[in-house]
Amino acid sequence: GKNKTITDWEEENTVFCVCDVSCIFFLLLNLFHLFFYLFQPVLLLFQDGSRSGRDRKKTVSFSSTLTEKKISNAADCIHAMVEGSELKKVRPNSRVYQRYYLMDAGLQALFWEPSKKESDKARITLASIREVRTGRNTETFRTSGVYEQISEDCAFSIIYGEMYESLDLVANSAEVANIWVTGLRYLMQYGKHAFDMLASSRDSLRLRWLERLFSSVNLEGEDDAKEGIPLQLAIKLIQSVNPGVSSAKVELRFKEIQRVREKSCGVCKQEFVEVFHDFCTRPEIYFLLVQFSSNKEFLDAKDLMKFIEAEQGMAQVCEETSLKLIQSHEPSEEGRQQGHLSLDGFTSYLTSAECRLFDPEHDNVCQDMSQPLSHYYINSSHNTYLIEDQFRGPSDISGYIRALKMGCRCVEIDVWDGPDEEPVVCTGHTLSPPLVLRCVLEAIGRFAFVASEYPLILCIENHCSLRQQHVLLQHLTRTLGRWLYTDPPAEGILYLPSPQALRHRILIKGKKLKPDFDGEDGDVSEEDEGAEMCHKMKVVNSGSAAPGGTESDVMQRSVIAVTQPNPPHLPLQRFQLLREFSDLVTLCQSISFIDFPTSSKSQKPWELVSFHESLAVHLAGESPGDFVNHNKRFLSRVYPSPARIDSSNMNPQDLWKCGCQIVAMNFQTAGLMMDLNTAWFRQNGNCGYVLRPAIMRQEVSYFCADTRDTVPGVSPQLLHVKVISGQNLPKPKGSGAKGDVVDPYVYMEIHGIPADCAERRTRTVTQNGDNPIFDESFEFQINLPELAMVRFVVLDDDFIGDEFIGQYTIPLECLQPGYRHVPLQSLTGEELLHAQLFVHVALTNRRGGGKPHKRGLSVRKARRGRDYTALRVLGLRAVDDVFKMASPLLREATDLRGNMQNSVSVFRELCGVSAVANLMQCVLALSSRVTGPEGTPLLLFDLQDNYPTLEAQGPLPDVLRRVVSTYETVRHRLATKSLMELSDGIHDKILHIQSTAMEFHEKLQILAAKEGLKGSKVCRAVESFSWNVTILKGQADLLKHAKAEVQENMKQVHDSALTGNLTKDGVGLRRVRSQTRQNHGDNTSARSRPV
């Protein structure tokens, strides 16, 4: 049959079909029925979910589309529910059915169509609904085969009936899900009085404030009141509440309304309120307010306290704190007097500095500044005098001023002979104009300690003759003499002094004569990149038949020179160094790098190596562990390749992960790399120094900079980010292809060690830069949190090429949890006025087992399947025997922490909250669903003990019995018999074994020789020793943190039980709590610590 043509196949098949058409028809029909029965759930997932009518009944998709209508109050939500929506119903067998869901006109029941059930069964009465739960937080969702395909933000569940059954639904968009959740909760709150409440909402706090606001500016008197207020005044009123809105858009909206009403005079009250709702109501904040509001219209002091305590991660919060916030942010006098926060006040609070993503604790120096200088990353500038490219761009003193104001603590000065015996600062053999050295030093003297009091390093590349070196010395001592640190390092010191000890000191980095040299000047090798550039330029100029030439010729030769590798035939140039200048160089003496073993044996702590970018990257790839160990004691400086003629920047994180302290950046060049550098050094008060991760500072520790797995001794974290919306996103600069239209999307990046680097993006929201709703959640596993950074980038989706709108970069350690606004910055780092993102952030410990995206009881590992951190065998019997004693302790410590985390996770799932929720949120969620038939709670906490007990107050349904049982398991594992009682003993034993093992550290080479180990086996034994010590220290720290976590968890249970009125003798306890917290009332302006 290999030679048959397509025509032959067609003829044979035609004959076959004619002869056996009836048999084939029935066979195919039966196969189709079998196939559909087996694979229906899978097929349904890939079908189109758009609704063009009610005839497409079972089409299922989890795509996201937004509704056109803007929701601003409960009436809008309920109206949308009465009209109905297509929702997907998820069944326990993983089947998914699309149905049309509606509220009946009397707002008494929810029903759906079509359904095979009888009409009275295809409905749920409002009175039977016990809870409306957001997210994929029921057993049906967690065990569903389509769990991963369902958006957390589009899923919600209705818990109803005596048996706590669940109706698990998925909307086409997060906004539709929010409409149903908000509307159902409102109806549950008011029941049969919902109609009355909706009618009275027309006279709500917000509307009364708007009417008074409108009346207060109508100064024309009652006769002209009917004519309204001038258009421009109405626009200013709206911009006073939403300053980011365009006046042209507001004006256009007013004119559209007036055109429809055939009116051309001033703005009346009704028009003003309507346009105000359009431009000043953010649906995503309204949905959030309703979630926490006890009456669904505003937040009272207790509602707000729940929000800032449970969601914003703040402790020691009292109602007085809430009242102060209400006084600060509520725009209406009535609201301030009654202690009520309206939607506009809540929006004001969420957009204030208090709710920025960046933790204000990091605005000041917050790290230990008493450690050796080599333990810090140091903000560093390359060729600081240049403000454009490296060859013909202008030089300016402003380069130094700008860098120093930005917190730079290491600036570069290339000094050459100048005219009139006056040294100049420039890059040799280029077209960049020189600066007078004296002026540069004066600028440095004025701004050296404006942004930071910690030491400033001057990298002086000295190319001057002896005569002009005398002038250089005079300028330095006269201008900066009182700050210069000239004390010689003490012999035998192992580390450099600390930044704290060197405050208001200037360190000179440069070449130094040998200590035993007695003359007034001596011979040393030429400086770092200056020498490299000079050599290359000399080779090109000497090989050119016509030296000199036009500027274009010089530029071309320069480019060729710096992009060529080092000329092997040229020896390193040497020059004469003045002894008096050499004496100024004390703690930062420049030396050449040979290899890591040589440095380990002979390099002194005060000696510093400057690495060419290419060499540093090569070493980071070939010997990442050796590079990290080298940088524990010695300073390393990395400068950009001269091939970067455009002043582009290297990625500093490629070198920070190896511990390189001084990564020189071209501050004049904006972009991703400079964004990373600027954001990184904000985390310690922008003082120019950031303490490196502990694993990079400990004398004996194991860390591989290129790891793509978890870091030994460090507990991975899960970062959960929900990108909710954007506000006032501007048109990209220079873009005119689409007029004023913006099609934004958000790109999220994680920067850190290779194991942590990740990228995710939201969908594109078309033609909306004012308030695009994204509502998408992402999850990232962070293996080394101390070195991780998060970057938000907003782009304009364009078929030609996506254009940059704004960005914001922040170290992971500076994130504040909860609902936060992210101020966007331009390409050059300036804040874009009123442009921001609205996000929710949570950081949790990663549970052992499975991928980080997995959730639920069905994927939780049993104890037998738990991963235990293994110690390595060195091949040195005496040392291995010591480490073997730690193995059972490490297993026990892992079990204690794992059991605690698993029991808390099960309790969280039974409470119906997301994986990012803490115990406070669990108890508060529980408080809303444990009310009995007569309004009394079915469960109460007894707070007499430090570890609250949960007691049933009568017969319980099965689901609540499981809650009580699981909570007792949590309490047992946290307190009475497990972690709290055993952790201290295990912790001390592990540290004792570690200290015993450290006694062998200095003897490893001798022990290896006795065991007959040689060469690479000795290196592996030393590496395994570091690995084991790191594991012991890390596991001891994790156990200590777990104990602190237990205490915090119990405190959260205690506080949330009080807040949720789930306590026995609750009135007395609340009074004690209120009195206790009143002591903190005077200190409420201080930032509360995160939960």
Side-chain angles (χ1 to χ4, degrees):
K2 292 184 180 179
N3 298 322
K4 289 182 179 180
T5 65
I6 295 177
T7 304
D8 294 331
W9 282 111
E10 290 176 344
E11 290 176 354
E12 290 182 12
N13 287 336
T14 302
V15 174
F16 181 77
C17 290
V18 170
C19 295
D20 301 277
V21 62
S22 58
C23 295
I24 294 300
F25 175 79
F26 287 108
L27 177 62
L28 290 177
L29 184 62
N30 290 330
L31 286 174
F32 174 79
H33 280 286
L34 178 62
F35 181 85
F36 186 82
Y37 175 80
L38 292 175
F39 298 101
Q40 182 190 26
V42 178
L43 291 172
L44 291 174
L45 296 178
F46 298 98
Q47 296 177 12
D48 181 15
S50 60
R51 179 178 184 269
S52 56
R54 298 191 188 180
D55 52 336
R56 302 181 66 181
K57 302 286 190 295
K58 294 187 178 182
T59 303
V60 178
S61 168
F62 296 122
S63 61
S64 295
T65 56
L66 287 178
T67 58
E68 295 294 330
K69 185 174 180 180
K70 194 169 187 178
I71 302 297
S72 63
N73 53 47
D76 292 339
C77 296
I78 294 173
H79 178 73
M81 291 162 56
V82 171
E83 285 189 344
S85 306
E86 279 192 346
L87 303 173
K88 291 89 178 177
K89 178 181 179 181
V90 180
R91 296 292 303 275
N93 58 7
S94 298
R95 292 191 179 184
V96 181
Y97 301 95
Q98 181 154 308
R99 297 287 184 263
Y100 198 76
Y101 289 81
L102 310 92
M103 285 296 300
D104 66 2
L107 304 182
Q108 296 302 308
L110 165 70
F111 64 98
W112 55 93
E113 56 183 38
S115 175
K116 295 180 181 179
K117 298 180 180 180
E118 297 178 8
S119 59
D120 60 331
K121 293 184 178 180
R123 65 198 302 270
I124 297 174
T125 62
L126 189 64
S128 69
I129 298 178
R130 293 182 171 272
E131 178 194 356
V132 180
R133 187 178 300 178
T134 59
R136 303 166 297 178
N137 294 311
T138 63
E139 188 73 11
T140 298
F141 272 132
R142 293 191 192 99
T143 58
S144 172
V146 295
Y147 177 88
E148 296 292 344
Q149 301 173 45
I150 299 172
S151 168
E152 175 81 13
D153 309 305
C154 296
F156 66 100
S157 301
I158 300 172
I159 314 299
Y160 66 97
E162 294 295 328
M163 303 305 295
Y164 287 77
E165 299 174 77
S166 67
L167 175 63
D168 301 288
L169 302 171
V170 183
N172 284 337
S173 72
E175 186 177 1
V176 172
N178 282 328
I179 288 172
W180 277 91
V181 170
T182 300
L184 287 172
R185 285 176 173 173
Y186 189 95
L187 294 176
M188 288 174 63
Q189 174 76 23
Y190 293 109
K192 61 183 180 181
H193 303 294
F195 279 118
D196 296 333
M197 292 303 302
L198 289 173
S200 65
S201 67
R202 298 175 183 176
D203 189 33
S204 66
L205 175 64
R206 189 189 200 197
L207 288 177
R208 290 195 296 273
W209 167 65
L210 286 178
E211 290 173 356
R212 291 192 184 101
L213 180 66
F214 182 87
S215 301
S216 66
V217 297
N218 194 345
L219 306 177
E220 300 299 325
E222 294 184 2
D223 294 336
D224 298 329
K226 295 180 180 180
E227 299 298 324
I229 62 175
L231 176 61
Q232 294 305 316
L233 185 55
I235 293 173
K236 287 182 179 180
L237 279 178
I238 289 176
Q239 286 184 318
S240 68
V241 179
N242 182 6
V245 69
S246 164
S247 59
K249 291 182 178 179
V250 179
E251 182 176 357
L252 180 62
R253 179 65 180 136
F254 273 123
K255 290 182 177 179
E256 286 177 351
I257 293 174
Q258 292 180 343
R259 189 181 304 115
V260 170
R261 296 174 180 172
E262 299 181 351
K263 174 187 171 186
S264 60
C265 56
V267 175
C268 69
K269 184 188 300 182
Q270 181 182 355
E271 294 166 347
F272 172 75
V273 171
E274 183 176 346
V275 176
F276 184 93
H277 279 304
D278 287 342
F279 287 99
C280 298
T281 299
R282 289 175 51 183
E284 72 276 23
I285 293 182
Y286 171 71
F287 292 138
L288 187 60
L289 179 142
V290 171
Q291 180 181 342
F292 284 89
S293 171
S294 55
N295 66 6
K296 312 307 177 190
E297 291 293 340
F298 53 79
L299 297 175
D300 60 24
K302 194 163 186 175
D303 295 334
L304 184 57
M305 185 180 73
K306 284 183 183 180
F307 175 76
I308 60 181
E309 195 171 37
E311 286 296 336
Q312 304 299 80
M314 297 172 66
Q316 297 180 352
V317 179
C318 60
E319 291 187 25
E320 289 82 357
T321 308
S322 300
L323 289 171
K324 286 187 176 182
L325 289 175
I326 291 172
Q327 294 301 314
S328 299
H329 296 286
E330 173 54 36
S332 70
E333 179 66 27
E334 178 186 356
R336 292 194 296 270
Q337 290 177 355
Q338 297 178 355
H340 295 163
L341 192 67
S342 66
L343 176 59
D344 301 289
F346 193 41
T347 303
S348 172
Y349 165 66
L350 288 174
T351 54
S352 68
E354 296 162 277
C355 290
R356 286 290 176 97
L357 185 63
F358 189 86
D359 189 339
E361 278 190 0
H362 293 271
D363 284 332
N364 302 308
V365 175
C366 56
Q367 297 177 351
D368 179 10
M369 302 301 291
S370 62
Q371 301 203 31
L373 207 62
S374 59
H375 287 184
Y376 297 85
Y377 297 112
I378 303 174
N379 198 357
S380 178
S381 166
H382 172 250
N383 286 353
T384 317
Y385 45 87
L386 295 178
I387 58 174
E388 288 184 14
D389 66 73
Q390 298 290 308
F391 282 94
R392 58 180 177 182
S395 304
D396 199 281
I397 293 173
S398 63
Y400 289 97
I401 297 173
R402 179 172 179 268
L404 292 171
K405 283 185 173 182
M406 291 176 66
C408 181
R409 294 286 87 194
C410 182
V411 297
E412 187 175 359
I413 307 175
D414 292 354
V415 189
W416 298 77
D417 283 351
D420 304 323
E421 297 297 323
E422 189 68 43
V424 294
V425 177
C426 65
T427 304
H429 304 283
T430 67
L431 303 177
S432 296
L435 300 174
V436 178
L437 172 67
R438 173 175 47 79
C439 299
V440 170
L441 295 179
E442 288 174 354
I444 291 174
R446 287 198 303 273
F447 293 95
F449 300 106
V450 169
S452 173
E453 63 178 351
Y454 295 103
L456 173 66
I457 301 173
L458 300 186
C459 294
I460 298 182
E461 294 193 6
N462 183 4
H463 306 277
C464 291
S465 62
L466 288 174
R467 180 187 295 272
Q468 295 212 16
Q469 284 185 45
H470 279 285
V471 182
L472 165 61
L473 180 66
Q474 292 171 6
H475 288 326
L476 277 171
T477 54
R478 186 184 74 250
T479 308
L480 307 176
R482 59 179 172 144
W483 297 305
L484 291 177
Y485 184 88
T486 57
D487 297 342
E491 287 297 328
I493 64 170
L494 298 178
Y495 292 97
L496 291 171
S498 68
Q500 182 71 21
L502 295 171
R503 286 178 303 165
H504 297 106
R505 290 293 187 176
I506 293 178
L507 310 180
I508 303 296
K509 176 252 171 192
K511 291 290 183 176
K512 188 172 181 68
L513 297 172
K514 294 181 179 179
D516 55 355
F517 187 81
D518 296 329
E520 293 186 0
D521 55 74
D523 191 43
V524 296
S525 60
E526 198 169 17
E527 269 301 312
D528 307 325
E529 66 259 45
E532 178 185 359
M533 198 170 294
C534 291
H535 291 168
K536 292 183 175 182
M537 291 305 304
K538 288 176 181 177
V539 170
V540 174
N541 288 333
S542 62
S544 175
T550 65
E551 178 180 316
S552 176
D553 295 333
V554 175
M555 183 64 184
Q556 185 176 1
R557 289 203 302 270
S558 301
V559 173
I560 295 173
V562 298
T563 54
Q564 296 300 315
N566 284 324
H569 60 278
L570 272 179
L572 195 62
Q573 296 294 309
R574 303 185 70 82
F575 76 106
Q576 293 300 112
L577 179 64
L578 188 66
R579 178 56 183 265
E580 293 177 273
F581 181 79
S582 172
D583 291 341
L584 295 180
V585 180
T586 56
L587 299 183
C588 298
Q589 302 177 18
S590 295
I591 63 169
S592 299
F593 177 76
I594 300 175
D595 53 42
F596 289 126
T598 302
S599 296
S600 178
K601 293 177 181 178
S602 60
Q603 187 170 340
K604 303 293 189 296
W606 55 84
E607 292 177 335
L608 178 152
V609 173
S610 284
F611 293 93
H612 183 289
E613 175 189 346
S614 300
L615 175 59
V617 171
H618 172 76
L619 293 173
E622 294 294 321
S623 309
D626 292 335
F627 213 167
V628 171
N629 289 329
H630 172 87
N631 290 322
K632 289 177 181 178
R633 291 179 55 203
F634 311 120
L635 286 175
S636 293
R637 175 177 175 267
V638 183
Y639 59 90
S641 167
R644 296 184 180 276
I645 59 173
D646 57 350
S647 294
S648 60
N649 279 307
M650 52 191 161
N651 188 339
Q653 285 230 331
D654 290 342
L655 302 156
W656 289 338
K657 70 183 182 183
C658 295
C660 294
Q661 299 89 345
I662 305 174
V663 181
M665 304 291 288
N666 290 306
F667 272 51
Q668 71 272 30
T669 305
L672 167 61
M673 307 311 171
M674 199 60 208
D675 291 340
L676 294 175
N677 189 81
T678 302
W680 182 250
F681 286 100
R682 280 193 65 198
Q683 66 182 286
N684 193 26
N686 205 33
C687 73
Y689 287 83
V690 169
L691 192 63
R692 295 188 305 162
I695 201 168
M696 295 186 182
R697 307 191 310 265
Q698 296 158 357
E699 182 181 359
V700 179
S701 62
Y702 178 88
F703 173 67
C704 179
D706 276 343
T707 182
R708 297 186 179 274
D709 202 350
T710 56
V711 178
V714 179
S715 177
Q717 305 255 305
L718 280 182
L719 172 65
H720 311 261
V721 179
K722 180 179 181 180
V723 181
I724 302 172
S725 64
Q727 290 79 45
N728 306 311
L729 304 180
K731 183 72 179 172
K733 286 188 176 181
S735 174
K738 299 186 295 182
D740 291 331
V741 175
V742 179
D743 302 318
Y745 67 91
V746 181
Y747 204 78
M748 275 200 68
E749 304 168 347
I750 306 296
H751 297 266
I753 61 174
D756 294 342
C757 293
E759 299 173 343
R760 299 286 294 276
R761 64 154 287 178
T762 68
R763 62 186 178 82
T764 298
V765 177
T766 57
Q767 300 185 17
N768 187 354
D770 297 327
N771 187 29
I773 304 295
F774 301 104
D775 265 329
E776 293 194 47
S777 299
F778 306 119
E779 185 177 277
F780 306 93
Q781 178 170 315
I782 311 296
N783 297 285
L784 187 58
E786 290 177 279
L787 205 59
M789 302 185 74
V790 182
R791 189 168 189 255
F792 300 88
V793 185
V794 184
L795 300 172
D796 183 15
D797 200 342
D798 197 329
F799 67 93
I800 299 175
D802 297 348
E803 296 184 275
F804 178 88
I805 293 176
Q807 69 84 29
Y808 187 78
T809 310
I810 181 172
L812 184 78
E813 303 249 307
C814 297
L815 291 174
Q816 287 202 101
Y819 289 91
R820 305 290 172 181
H821 276 89
V822 182
L824 295 177
Q825 298 174 346
S826 67
L827 273 172
T828 53
E830 288 85 14
E831 189 168 321
L832 295 171
L833 197 62
H834 309 303
Q836 53 194 355
L837 296 176
F838 186 42
V839 301
H840 181 267
V841 174
L843 199 62
T844 62
N845 292 325
R846 186 178 79 87
R847 288 176 49 197
K851 296 181 180 179
H853 288 286
K854 288 188 177 180
R855 284 285 176 272
L857 301 171
S858 60
V859 297
R860 194 169 51 254
K861 277 197 174 184
R863 179 173 177 173
R864 292 181 181 177
R866 181 168 290 149
D867 294 327
Y868 296 98
T869 305
L871 296 175
R872 296 180 178 179
V873 177
L874 280 69
L876 306 176
R877 187 176 306 170
V879 186
D880 286 335
D881 288 344
V882 173
F883 284 127
K884 284 179 182 177
M885 295 189 296
S887 294
L889 294 172
L890 294 180
R891 291 179 66 88
E892 191 171 359
T894 302
D895 284 339
L896 286 177
R897 292 188 295 105
N899 291 341
M900 177 195 73
Q901 293 172 358
N902 282 344
S903 59
V904 170
S905 179
V906 175
F907 181 66
R908 182 188 295 122
E909 291 172 353
L910 289 175
C911 289
V913 294
S914 68
V916 305
N918 53 39
L919 281 184
M920 175 174 287
Q921 292 166 323
C922 291
V923 176
L924 289 176
L926 195 62
S927 67
S928 66
R929 72 182 72 127
V930 295
T931 304
E934 298 179 1
T936 58
L938 299 175
L939 297 174
L940 289 176
F941 285 91
D942 186 348
L943 304 183
Q944 301 302 323
D945 189 12
N946 289 332
Y947 303 98
T949 57
L950 183 59
E951 301 176 0
Q953 302 301 300
L956 297 177
D958 181 64
V959 64
L960 292 184
R961 285 199 300 270
R962 290 171 60 195
V963 169
V964 174
S965 173
T966 304
Y967 176 78
E968 284 307 308
T969 302
V970 172
R971 183 176 178 275
H972 176 82
R973 288 178 172 174
L974 295 187
T976 54
K977 298 293 185 183
S978 296
L979 201 146
M980 292 300 290
E981 292 183 356
L982 301 177
S983 60
D984 287 340
I986 297 173
H987 176 269
D988 294 342
K989 289 177 183 178
I990 291 175
L991 289 185
H992 176 71
I993 293 173
Q994 182 199 3
S995 62
T996 303
M998 285 297 295
E999 296 175 2
F1000 293 99
H1001 180 231
E1002 301 296 335
K1003 308 173 186 176
L1004 288 178
Q1005 299 290 341
I1006 299 173
L1007 292 173
K1010 288 182 179 180
E1011 296 282 352
L1013 301 184
K1014 297 180 180 179
S1016 60
K1017 291 185 178 180
V1018 177
C1019 294
R1020 282 198 296 271
V1022 173
E1023 181 181 289
S1024 296
F1025 182 87
S1026 299
W1027 169 277
N1028 290 349
V1029 170
T1030 303
I1031 293 297
L1032 293 179
K1033 178 68 167 60
Q1035 291 297 316
D1037 288 343
L1038 290 176
L1039 197 56
K1040 184 178 179 180
H1041 294 155
K1043 182 178 178 180
E1045 185 179 346
V1046 168
Q1047 295 169 332
E1048 178 59 36
N1049 282 338
M1050 289 297 97
K1051 181 181 180 300
Q1052 288 185 25
V1053 172
H1054 182 280
D1055 287 355
S1056 54
L1058 290 167
T1059 302
N1061 292 326
L1062 289 181
T1063 61
K1064 299 176 72 174
D1065 301 322
V1067 176
L1069 286 171
R1070 281 197 299 275
R1071 185 163 55 250
V1072 172
R1073 180 175 187 244
S1074 179
Q1075 290 172 353
T1076 302
R1077 290 187 166 187
Q1078 195 167 359
N1079 296 332
H1080 300 282
D1082 297 334
N1083 196 31
T1084 52
S1085 59
R1087 179 185 177 273
S1088 303
R1089 65 182 180 84
V1091 171

